[in-house]
């Protein structure tokens, strides 16, 4: 059986540039992560140790928070809970991601990240909660902010996924990401359509 083994790491990926490139929305921070002891057999991953974190931007112009515009936060939440976002009442949509949210300055997130460790068909999913916040809230969050947070809803921790559970989770995330991409494409096409001339700018035909 063909086998491929490798390690990867990435650091300092600017969320601002990533958001502009993908159309995800305005963000401020960096994306950090590692993928170690990765093994593919017959082009399928059989072992890996993956860690992904969004962290506040360091240095000049930096912050102690990861910053998201309302559009970016809507898309982030939609990755995990598309059905709930799409079924929001209009007033809740306006308050959460519309003019009011823009007026309040978007969303500040303290931390965001997760780990996946997979071996022989079993995968462990963990969040990266700071010990001081976990001591207060006694909950696990994929990301946590002042005004918005994404709790990890599970009966046990770490979350243990078999191959079927892992496949279902990846399929769910893939569908939601594809839906976001389709929506962005529609918005881009709409913005590129030439504006129709205003009939009022022309004299009436005789």
């Amino acid at each position: 059986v063909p086998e491929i083994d490798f390690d990867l790491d990435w650091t300092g990926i600017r969320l601002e540039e990533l958001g502009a490139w993908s159309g995800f929305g305005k963000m401020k921070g960096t994306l950090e992560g590692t993928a170690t002891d990765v093994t593919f057999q017959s082009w399928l991953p059989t072992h890996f140790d993956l860690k992904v974190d969004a962290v506040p931007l360091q240095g000049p112009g930096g912050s102690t928070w990861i910053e998201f515009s309302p559009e970016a936060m809507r898309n982030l939440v939609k990755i995990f809970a598309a059905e709930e976002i799409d079924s929001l009442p209009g007033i809740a949509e306006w308050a959460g991601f519309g003019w009011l949210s823009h007026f309040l300055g978007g969303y500040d997130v303290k931390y965001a990240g997760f780990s996946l460790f997979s071996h022989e068909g079993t995968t462990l999913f963990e969040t990266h909660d700071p010990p001081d916040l976990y001591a207060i809230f006694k909950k696990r969050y994929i990301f946590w902010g002042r005004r918005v947070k994404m709790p990890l809803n599970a009966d046990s921790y770490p979350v243990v996924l078999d191959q079927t559970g892992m496949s279902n989770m990846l399929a769910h995330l893939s569908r939601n990401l594809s839906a976001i991409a389709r929506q962005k494409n529609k918005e881009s096409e709409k913005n590129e359509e030439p504006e129709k001339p205003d009939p009022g700018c022309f004299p009436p035909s005789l």
Side-chain angles (χ1 to χ4, degrees), residues 4 33 36 44 48 53 62 87 98 101 120 131-132 138-139 142 155 177 179 186 189:
I4 300 174
T36 57
L44 295 174
F48 58 84
D53 286 288
S87 60
S101 189
E120 295 183 350
D132 56 336
K138 304 298 183 183
K139 289 184 178 181
I142 299 172
D155 296 329
L177 285 168
K186 289 180 181 178
E189 292 172 359

Side-chain angles (χ1 to χ4, degrees), residues 14 51 95 100 129 134 154:
R14 297 285 293 266
K51 295 180 176 66
L100 179 60
D129 308 273
Y134 178 74

Side-chain angles (χ1 to χ4, degrees), residues 53-69:
D53 286 288
V55 299
L57 184 64
Q58 305 298 313
S63 172
T64 57
W65 297 82
I66 313 156
E67 300 174 16
F68 291 82
S69 69

Side-chain angles (χ1 to χ4, degrees), residues 125 140 151-161:
F125 181 94
R140 304 287 180 177
L152 179 64
N153 296 318
D155 296 329
S156 61
Y157 186 84
V159 179
V160 180
L161 301 168

Side-chain angles (χ1 to χ4, degrees), residues 2 81 143 162 169 177:
F143 63 84
D162 58 15
M169 185 184 77
L177 285 168

Side-chain angles (χ1 to χ4, degrees), residues 16-186:
E16 185 176 9
E17 297 176 5
L18 184 62
W21 171 76
S22 64
F24 197 82
K26 293 182 179 180
M27 301 177 284
K28 187 176 180 181
T30 60
L31 192 64
E32 320 280 337
T34 59
T36 57
D37 299 326
V38 181
T39 299
F40 276 75
Q41 293 179 334
S42 297
W43 307 108
L44 295 174
T46 58
H47 185 280
F48 58 84
D49 189 356
L50 174 69
K51 295 180 176 66
V52 179
D53 286 288
V55 299
L57 184 64
Q58 305 298 313
S63 172
T64 57
W65 297 82
I66 313 156
E67 300 174 16
F68 291 82
S69 69
E71 294 83 3
M73 180 52 68
R74 188 183 194 282
N75 286 329
L76 180 61
V77 174
K78 194 170 182 177
I79 292 175
F80 303 98
E83 295 82 1
E84 289 81 353
I85 286 292
D86 290 339
S87 60
L88 280 176
I91 187 65
E93 175 80 17
W94 174 82
F97 308 107
W99 178 87
L100 179 60
S101 189
H102 280 278
F103 177 77
L104 294 174
Y107 292 91
D108 293 336
V109 171
K110 189 68 174 178
Y111 69 91
F114 63 89
S115 296
L116 288 170
F117 176 79
S118 182
H119 181 64
E120 295 183 350
T122 299
T123 302
L124 299 182
F125 181 94
E126 297 179 286
T127 55
H128 295 170
D129 308 273
D132 56 336
L133 286 180
Y134 178 74
I136 296 172
F137 298 107
K138 304 298 183 183
K139 289 184 178 181
R140 304 287 180 177
Y141 296 93
I142 299 172
F143 63 84
W144 185 94
R146 289 167 172 162
R147 295 172 49 218
V148 65
K149 47 191 69 66
M150 177 59 66
L152 179 64
N153 296 318
D155 296 329
S156 61
Y157 186 84
V159 179
V160 180
L161 301 168
D162 58 15
Q163 287 183 328
T164 300
M166 186 64 182
S167 296
N168 290 341
M169 185 184 77
L170 292 177
H172 174 77
L173 296 178
S174 178
R175 284 194 302 269
N176 293 346
L177 285 168
S178 296
I180 293 171
R182 287 195 301 271
Q183 181 62 33
K184 290 300 175 184
N185 288 336
K186 289 180 181 178

